[in-house]
Amino acid sequence: MKILVGLLLGAMASFAYSQEQKAEEQGLIPIDTFSRDVQYHSIKLSPNGDYMGVMTKQEGKNVLLLLDTKEFKMHHGVRFPENAQVGDYHWVNNERVVLSKEYLKGWQDHPQYYGELFGVNADGTQGRYLVGYQGEMQTGSRVRKATPLYGTSYVLDPLVHDEDKMLIVTYPWTGSKEPHTIVYEVDVNRGQRRRVMGSPSRMAQFLTDEQGRVRVSVSTDTSSDQQVHIRDLEQGEWVELPLSELDLSDIRLHGFNLEGDIVYASAAKQGEPSGLYKLNLETKEYELVHREGSVSPSKVWVDDVNKSVFAIEYEAQYPTYAFVDSEAKMSQRLKGLLQAIPGRQVRIVSSTQDGNMSVVWAGSDRHPSSYYLYNGKTNKLSFLFSSRSWVDVEKMAETTPIQFKARDGLNLYGYFTAPYGKELKDLPLVVLPHGGPHGPRDWWGFDPDVQLLASRGIAVLQVNFRGSGGFGGNFERAGYRKWGTDIQYDIIDGVKYVIAQGWVDKGNMCIMGGSFGAYSALQSSIIEPDMFKCAVGVVGVYDLPLMFEEGDIAERASGQGYLKKVLGEDETQLKAFSPSYNIDKLKAPVLIVHGGEDERAPIEQAESLIEALKKAKHPYQYVLLEDEGHGFYNESHRLHYYQQVMAFLDQHLKL
């Protein structure tokens, strides 16, 4: 088998090389334009604006650079050895950052985090382990030193008004699946900590006000039957709010009003998309502030300075904004920025303590992420960095939102990308279902996979099928136990919609995807065997019964419960929905790409499909990346993957 795979890879690599030569001769954009790691992301200002944190990637791992904002000179860089990388980070005073340590286990979307927090000054001095399961021994002081803390901890509030302290929230590692969370006050220099309070309900998140006081908590163990508590600042006691009459679920806390007597939370009612509500802390009354009919907020924006909510962002199609307080300083700033950077999605991602300086993110379907520095005193917007400076935005393709009806009348949204410079007629098409399926969704914005395909003259269709996240609980649950039927019908109906518009050539289409998208690529090709000329499955699941036996989901009791909920336990139906058991209905040749260390969709999934393909003598090609997992962290692996995919598509599509 290894010899066969090696010969196949060699043949494909040779074909890919010839395709690159052909692409170069035709003046096409090089493939590595899309496979390269982003240069910069996660930019944050220190409280006084003297320093700036910038995340970059080195050897596929996140590294934190600490620069000054006058000359943009690097003062220090933070990186972890071996398979560890920098995770989230916070400025806790004008000179010091606290950062989390993550471990890469081979799947791009799920680095592992064990609650370890480190502190370091901008000049690289006083680096210290502050919080985590490692630590110093206690020697009798009533104030706990940086002793081991057995739980997963996150920065709750950096307390920038207090240069020596921060608040963290810890989810204890106990025998309980749903422990009560704990808030600690931690010395940012030495790691000594003091217990502030425990949560009044299980798995609770907390919200602090402008002064850093813990004011509100909400349980997060389930999206329904949640408990919301308000803290009496005088007595220090928690008071539960009666929620039974409100019929609210999926409650998430965001921020306050300027006066601090109203808290804003997003919540859903009767399974519909979430809206933004305000809760009066004195009267204990809820009131709906804003709700879109078809989609939940993608982001609720909070002023870094005073923790007040100023805007809501929605993305059913193009990004739109609703302003909670149109006259608020940050609302006015965001409105001005939208005018200054037209045609792009704009976000204020970090501000100084006095609110005078802000880091601004901007991006679009054709523009990779770019960052700007805004000075409120001079009203000047200065360009900082582009995440992909090598991309020629003028040659990128435009992505257009679409809306259509599924065969059962359900309203669906999606995106269609037409190649740059091509007539919108009879185009070759690749359908690109997203992963998940429950929770993730597709968005309008720069997507390297989409732009690579479009650069080769291929149109791309993305469908937010039932089961996708962001459109309400009812929409997401509509995909439960419908993986092999209704979800695929939504994708197929999207294909029929773009065919009916005359945009694509119905005889020149392929389908590809990763994870659940790989499952959809095979399953849709089985349901509609004459629709697609080829199918590409990347780190996919193809054998649904096997999901209960292999992989990191199956290892956990919660994972088994999830699978029973979304897939059911009828083995006959599970096999009927599994590509591995239905190859006899498949006509499209298949490319399978898998990671040898994938724990989410383990290698047994690819092997199950390959065994069925071999037994049926069905044409397939197989690319195994032995040291990759559920995604491609390694830049060279990503390039290799793109080369193989484009070579395969070139064999089966008329380009």
Side-chain angles (χ1 to χ4, degrees), residues 101 103 113-117 129 131-135 146-151 173:
K101 182 180 184 181
Y103 296 87
Y113 176 56
Y114 302 115
E116 296 175 282
L117 298 173
Y129 187 97
V131 176
Y133 62 92
Q134 305 179 59
T147 52
L149 181 57
Y150 299 107
W173 299 337

Side-chain angles (χ1 to χ4, degrees), residues 123 161 242 290 401 528 587:
D123 62 2
H161 300 289
H290 195 275
E528 288 282 355
K587 292 184 178 180

Side-chain angles (χ1 to χ4, degrees), residues 151-162:
T152 305
S153 300
Y154 304 90
V155 175
L156 172 63
D157 193 318
L159 299 179
V160 293
H161 300 289
D162 185 338

Side-chain angles (χ1 to χ4, degrees), residues 383-564:
F383 176 77
L384 289 174
F385 312 108
S386 172
S387 64
R388 300 175 186 268
S389 60
W390 55 87
V391 169
D392 184 350
V393 299
E394 297 299 324
K395 295 181 180 179
M396 295 298 102
E398 181 178 352
T399 297
T400 304
I402 60 172
Q403 184 177 349
F404 63 95
K405 294 286 187 182
R407 62 190 66 185
D408 62 358
L410 185 65
N411 190 50
L412 297 173
Y413 294 96
Y415 298 98
F416 182 80
T417 302
Y420 171 75
K422 297 288 185 179
E423 182 183 0
L424 190 58
K425 182 180 179 181
D426 293 334
L427 294 166
L429 177 72
V430 165
V431 185
L432 200 63
H434 66 69
H438 308 298
R441 55 155 291 189
D442 285 315
W443 308 86
W444 182 81
F446 188 87
D447 186 321
D449 290 5
V450 172
Q451 292 294 343
L452 170 62
L453 293 167
S455 74
R456 268 54 189 168
I458 303 169
V460 181
L461 172 66
Q462 298 165 282
V463 175
N464 280 319
F465 44 75
R466 71 191 70 204
S468 302
F471 297 89
N474 292 339
F475 188 87
E476 187 167 330
R477 287 187 290 272
Y480 288 2
R481 307 192 181 193
K482 304 291 185 180
W483 284 27
T485 52
D486 292 14
I487 289 179
Q488 308 311 318
Y489 300 156
D490 290 348
I491 296 168
I492 291 165
D493 290 348
V495 176
K496 292 179 178 179
Y497 171 80
V498 298
I499 291 173
Q501 309 311 304
W503 299 339
V504 303
D505 177 358
K506 66 179 182 180
N508 197 22
M509 304 186 300
C510 286
I511 182 169
M512 64 177 280
S515 194
F516 178 82
Y519 168 85
S520 288
L522 272 294
Q523 185 66 8
S524 285
S525 298
I526 287 169
I527 293 172
E528 288 282 355
D530 296 316
M531 180 170 275
F532 303 109
K533 295 299 182 183
C534 67
V536 180
V538 184
V539 297
V541 293
Y542 312 105
D543 185 329
L544 298 188
L546 191 61
M547 289 190 71
F548 290 84
E549 302 171 12
E550 301 288 347
D552 63 339
I553 297 177
E555 291 174 355
R556 305 187 303 270
S558 60
Q560 289 284 340
Y562 170 79
L563 292 174
K564 291 174 183 177

Side-chain angles (χ1 to χ4, degrees), residues 340-358:
I341 316 174
R344 285 194 256 176
Q345 188 175 14
V346 176
R347 292 175 168 177
I348 300 171
V349 295
S350 176
S351 296
T352 53
Q353 190 174 344
D354 59 12
N356 285 330
M357 294 172 63
S358 294

Side-chain angles (χ1 to χ4, degrees), residues 134-141 143-148 150:
Q134 305 179 59
E136 300 173 347
M137 293 300 295
Q138 184 69 20
T139 56
S141 170
V143 178
R144 294 183 66 83
K145 294 184 178 180
T147 52
Y150 299 107

Side-chain angles (χ1 to χ4, degrees), residues 592-620:
I592 306 158
V593 183
H594 219 88
E597 296 183 2
D598 194 337
E599 297 184 34
R600 181 56 45 88
I603 192 66
E604 286 85 355
Q605 287 285 346
E607 291 171 347
S608 171
L609 181 63
I610 290 168
E611 182 180 351
L613 290 166
K614 290 174 63 177
K615 185 176 181 180
K617 298 182 179 179
H618 190 91
Y620 76 94

